[in-house]
């Protein structure tokens, strides 16, 4: 069985996808699964997923989880999916406005951490502090819809540059705490590199991130790191042969990777991109 | 001003001295009354020199000191919540996998039903990597115990009885809510913001990141102490077992240095367990905000209200290093730490 077989088998009746089979539909898992199905030939499943995603958006253009007044970080991912699949332009415009108005908490300069706390990126939940991953999701989405030169996007790009680790690549948070350089990790590094496509940024930052991924990911013990590492490296034109074979070796007989929907979708998108198919995250 | 009302320097000093003595006596009275009101609790301290030497038997012996708990354990669906936050070769950050294995074996030997291990790592989204790198995956596979990533679990809302965070309710993983009992398995560590991280702070990991972000960011903005108390009261863990075989001092909870403390600390009252563990580290729990806040919710901190089982506290007490700005933790006067931190 292939990944698409697994994804269609675990799709919920409401059209969305859970993180794990049998769970409630979750926006992040649905976004990645919709992309994997749409680009991999599962149009019908993707269509049902798209309907679930657009229904999950509020009138304000933000995605709110049930009983949660605060806009959720997956708002960016929904915009990315709609834009990539050229769906619902009116809804896209609403989401763009909401993302550009996204409020973050700025902090005073803290001697404990080495970062510019006055920079605005995007947060996991609106009204909290900016972090690398939600900022990368928002940059990807806004660039995809053609808002790459908006001041808010440029500010988010500056934030990512501010958070580069000394070793190259990105930690999920700060590059340094109390004088101690923090390590980079594969998943935030991959998202940041994908988000910096098309930006005028120092080549050394990109090279440093790519070198980090090429060095760390082949021996990293997780499918998520292999999938995202492969997507980021291939988006920037680097070879991913070793990662592809490692990914294939870890695929289960049911077509999934560890029976996790979001991870399976990302792994399938990585294989699709590596095999000459459409690259879901190349801008 | 008439000369009869002139305040001499001597009179001023006398007045100030009297006020200070009165304040100290008053504060002491309030503290004594507060201690008297705290419910009695039992906390066991067990010596455990290594992760491999008879750990299951040591844990089993400790658990048997709580016959009521052992009775409730029989056939129960148990969720174990270790501390699995990040992995670094050079730092002992997490509850040791062999400690988790020892707890599983001891609980099984006492008749526990289904045992699940669950964690929602606070910082990193790549839980698979953490499980593999830490060695916990191997242990769980060998013992045939399932792992649930609480960051991505289905959730249900739980009203917050105290609502210190102002959130009104907290969405908690169904795996947590459907367990008959939750057991917190923290590591004995300092924490650069909270002072210490033990069985209550460890519960931050049950909060689903998919809803509240990483590192459970929404809750951090509502205050660590507020969140710790709200989560503890919402989850109501049945028991806590602190992995103090190797602890962490200095720049905890991630970058501190390993201390071979050689102890396991356990009990049914999480506040009493954490207070005792704090004392083992050489600190005064009266400085830890969330422990003090628990006094309003039936918590126990006072040594006179904690019956020590197993080893005597005096025999295992250590002197953990702390970051300079937290040195007030070692002061017997509760306000010293706040003064050092600039809050007073």
């Amino acid at each position: 069985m292939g990944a698409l077989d697994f994804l269609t088998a675990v799709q919920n009746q409401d059209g969305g996808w859970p993180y794990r089979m049998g769970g409630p539909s979750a926006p992040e898992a649905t976004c990645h699964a919709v992309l994997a199905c749409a680009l991999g030939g599962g149009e019908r499943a993707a269509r049902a997923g798209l309907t679930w995603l657009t229904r999950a958006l509020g009138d304000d253009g933000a995605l709110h989880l049930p009983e949660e007044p605060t806009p959720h970080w997956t708002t960016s991912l929904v915009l990315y999916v709609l834009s990539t699949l050229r769906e619902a332009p009116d809804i896209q415009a609403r989401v763009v406005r909401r993302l550009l108005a996204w409020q973050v908490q700025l902090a005073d300069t803290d001697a404990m951490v080495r970062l510019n706390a006055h920079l605005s990126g995007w947060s996991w939940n609106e009204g909290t502090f900016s972090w690398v991953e939600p900022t990368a999701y928002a940059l990807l989405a806004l660039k995809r819809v053609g808002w790459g030169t908006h001041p808010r996007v440029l500010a988010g790009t500056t934030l990512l540059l501010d958070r580069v680790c000394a070793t190259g690549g990105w930690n999920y948070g700060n590059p340094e705490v109390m004088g101690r350089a923090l390590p980079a990790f594969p998943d935030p590094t991959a998202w940041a590199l994908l988000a910096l496509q098309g930006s005028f940024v120092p080549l050394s930052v990109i090279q440093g991130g790519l070198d980090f991924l090429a060095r760390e990911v082949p021996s990293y013990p997780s499918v998520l790191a292999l999938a995202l590492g492969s997507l980021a490296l291939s988006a920037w034109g680097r070879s991913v042969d070793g990662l592809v074979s490692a990914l294939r070796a870890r695929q289960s007989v049911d077509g999934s990777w560890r029976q996790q929907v979001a991870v399976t979708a990302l792994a399938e998108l990585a294989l699709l991109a590596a095999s000459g198919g459409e690259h879901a995250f190349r801008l | 001003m008439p000369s009869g009302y002139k305040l001499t320097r001597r009179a001023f000093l006398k007045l100030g001295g009297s006020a200070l003595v009165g304040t100290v006596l008053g504060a002491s009275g309030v503290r004594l009354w507060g201690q008297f009101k705290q419910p009695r609790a039992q906390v066991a301290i067990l010596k455990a020199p290594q992760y491999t030497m008879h750990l299951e038997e040591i844990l089993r012996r400790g658990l048997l000191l709580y016959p009521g708990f052992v009775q409730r354990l029989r056939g129960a669906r148990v969720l174990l919540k270790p501390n699995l936050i990040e992995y670094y070769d050079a730092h002992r950050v997490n509850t040791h996998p062999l400690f988790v294995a020892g707890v599983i074996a001891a609980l099984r030997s006492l008749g526990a039903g289904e045992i699940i291990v669950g964690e929602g790592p606070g910082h990193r989204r790549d839980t698979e990597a953490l499980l593999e790198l830490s060695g916990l995956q191997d242990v769980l596979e060998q013992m045939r115990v399932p792992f649930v990533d609480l960051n991505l679990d289905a959730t249900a809302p739980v009203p917050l009885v105290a609502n210190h965070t102002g959130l009104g309710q907290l969405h908690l993983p169904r795996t947590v809510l459907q367990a008959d009992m939750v057991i917190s398995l923290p590591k004995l560590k300092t924490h650069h913001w909270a002072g210490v991280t033990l069985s209550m702070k460890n519960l931050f990991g049950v909060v689903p990141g998919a809803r509240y972000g990483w590192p459970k960011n929404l809750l951090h903005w509502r205050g660590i102490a507020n969140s710790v108390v709200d989560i503890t009261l919402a989850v109501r863990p049945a028991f806590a077992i602190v992995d103090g075989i190797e602890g962490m001092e200095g720049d905890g909870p991630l970058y501190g240095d390993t201390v071979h403390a050689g102890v396991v600390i356990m009990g049914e009252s999480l506040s009493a367990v954490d207070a005792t563990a704090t004392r083992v580290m050489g600190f005064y729990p009266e400085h830890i905000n969330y422990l003090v806040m628990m006094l309003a919710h039936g918590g126990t901190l006072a040594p006179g209200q904690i019956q020590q089982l197993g080893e005597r506290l005096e025999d295992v007490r250590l002197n953990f290093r702390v970051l300079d700005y937290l040195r007030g933790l070692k002061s017997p006067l509760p306000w010293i730490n706040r003064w050092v931190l600039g809050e007073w």
Side-chain angles (χ1 to χ4, degrees), chain A residues 157-221:
Chain A
T157 304
T158 306
L159 182 139
L160 288 187
L161 296 180
D162 181 60
R163 306 283 171 91
V164 175
C165 292
T167 55
W170 282 261
N171 186 275
Y172 50 81
N174 320 316
E176 192 178 301
V177 172
M178 300 178 70
R180 185 191 302 271
L182 300 187
F185 294 118
D187 41 332
T189 297
W191 283 117
L193 286 168
L194 290 169
L196 289 176
Q197 293 174 89
S199 291
F200 291 104
V201 296
L203 192 58
S204 59
V205 169
I206 303 300
Q207 297 288 2
L210 293 171
D211 290 345
F212 167 79
L213 287 181
R215 189 171 63 241
E216 296 290 330
V217 170
S219 60
Y220 213 73

Side-chain angles (χ1 to χ4, degrees), chain B:
Chain B
M1 178 187 286
S3 61
Y5 289 97
K6 191 174 180 185
L7 193 61
T8 64
R9 188 169 175 273
R10 179 182 297 240
F12 176 78
L13 288 174
K14 275 185 178 176
L15 193 63
S18 302
L20 182 63
V21 169
T23 303
V24 169
L25 286 175
S28 302
V30 168
R31 283 190 65 196
L32 279 172
W33 174 243
Q35 293 191 10
F36 177 72
K37 281 199 310 184
Q38 294 172 31
R40 295 277 296 166
Q42 294 181 319
V43 175
I45 303 177
L46 310 162
K47 281 190 177 170
Q50 292 177 35
Y51 285 104
T52 51
M53 192 183 287
H54 313 303
L55 187 52
E56 175 193 344
E57 186 48 38
I58 291 169
L59 290 163
R60 183 184 153 85
R61 188 158 41 86
L63 290 167
L64 284 170
L65 295 170
Y66 299 87
F69 169 75
V70 170
Q71 196 170 10
R72 291 194 301 279
L73 180 68
R74 291 193 184 110
R77 186 180 209 212
V78 181
L79 174 69
L80 299 180
K81 163 62 181 78
N83 188 218
L84 178 68
I85 183 162
E86 282 196 22
Y87 177 80
Y88 298 117
D89 283 338
H91 303 282
R92 303 283 195 271
V93 173
N94 303 311
T95 308
H96 199 291
L98 294 176
F99 187 84
V100 179
V103 171
I104 292 169
L107 293 176
R108 278 179 171 161
S109 75
L110 293 171
E114 183 186 8
I115 296 178
I116 302 164
V117 172
E119 167 68 306
H123 294 178
R124 297 191 52 196
R125 302 211 52 196
D126 195 344
T127 305
E128 181 191 2
L130 286 177
L131 283 168
E132 293 283 350
L133 291 166
S134 67
L136 185 58
Q137 181 72 33
D138 281 347
V139 162
L140 298 183
E141 282 175 8
Q142 283 169 25
M143 303 196 79
R144 297 180 181 277
V145 171
F147 177 87
V148 176
D149 185 347
L150 300 178
N151 278 330
L152 308 181
D153 201 18
T155 65
V158 176
L160 296 176
V161 287
N163 200 22
H164 291 291
T165 55
L167 290 169
Q169 63 180 17
L170 202 56
H171 279 257
L172 291 177
R174 287 196 187 279
T175 303
V176 172
L177 300 175
Q178 290 170 353
D180 295 323
M181 57 173 65
V182 175
I183 301 180
S184 180
L185 304 181
K187 196 158 184 73
L188 188 76
K189 291 193 292 187
T190 53
H191 191 285
H192 56 199
W193 285 328
V196 294
T197 172
L198 296 159
S199 70
M200 287 173 57
K201 176 72 175 63
N202 178 43
L203 297 174
F204 243 87
V206 307
V207 176
R211 177 173 281 263
Y212 296 106
W214 287 262
K216 319 294 165 95
N217 203 222
L218 190 63
L219 289 170
H220 276 92
W221 281 99
R222 301 288 178 141
I224 291 178
N226 293 337
S227 301
V228 168
V229 173
D230 272 356
I231 298 167
T232 302
L233 295 174
V235 175
R236 295 219 166 269
F239 209 80
I241 313 175
V242 182
D243 171 7
I245 298 175
E246 285 180 342
M248 179 181 280
E249 66 177 2
D251 188 8
L254 300 178
Y255 307 108
D257 301 314
T258 300
V259 181
H260 293 275
V263 291
V264 173
I265 303 157
M266 62 169 71
E268 293 173 286
S269 163
L270 267 67
S271 60
V273 167
D274 285 5
T276 303
T278 304
R279 291 187 175 102
V280 168
M281 297 162 92
F283 311 143
Y284 287 84
E286 293 83 357
H287 296 303
I288 308 299
N289 277 347
Y290 59 83
L291 290 178
V292 174
M293 287 171 70
M294 279 301 287
L295 291 177
H297 305 289
T300 302
L301 265 68
Q305 294 299 98
I306 299 175
Q307 182 189 357
Q308 219 70 63
L309 306 174
E311 304 295 331
R312 294 192 318 158
L313 182 62
E314 295 74 25
D315 295 338
V316 296
R317 197 194 303 269
L318 294 162
N319 184 19
F320 275 42
R321 276 190 312 105
V322 285
L323 297 169
D324 279 349
Y325 64 87
L326 289 173
R327 61 186 182 274
L329 291 175
K330 299 187 179 187
S331 162
L333 299 175
W335 48 268
I336 285 283
N337 196 40
R338 294 179 185 279
W339 182 72
V340 170
L341 288 171
E343 293 175 10
W344 281 26

Side-chain angles (χ1 to χ4, degrees), chain A residues 109-124:
Chain A
T109 301
D110 187 339
M112 283 177 72
V113 293
R114 197 221 80 190
L115 57 76
N116 183 347
H118 301 294
L119 294 172
S120 293
W122 278 265
S123 50
W124 293 105

Side-chain angles (χ1 to χ4, degrees), chain A residues 71-152:
Chain A
H72 194 244
W73 52 275
T74 48
T75 302
S76 301
L77 296 180
V78 177
L79 176 62
Y80 188 81
V81 171
L82 293 176
S83 174
T84 300
L85 302 181
R86 297 180 179 82
E87 290 285 337
D90 52 328
I91 296 177
Q92 286 185 44
R94 215 163 60 215
V95 184
V96 167
R97 280 196 297 275
R98 191 63 189 81
L99 275 181
L100 291 175
W102 190 273
Q103 300 290 311
V104 292
Q105 184 79 45
L106 303 178
D108 294 330
T109 301
D110 187 339
M112 283 177 72
V113 293
R114 197 221 80 190
L115 57 76
N116 183 347
H118 301 294
L119 294 172
S120 293
W122 278 265
S123 50
W124 293 105
N125 302 93
E126 190 177 39
T128 57
F129 197 65
S130 304
W131 292 83
V132 168
E133 285 145 293
T135 297
Y137 302 150
L139 292 183
L140 264 170
L142 289 166
K143 284 182 174 181
R144 178 66 104 188
V145 292
W147 287 81
T149 56
H150 189 277
R152 188 72 199 269

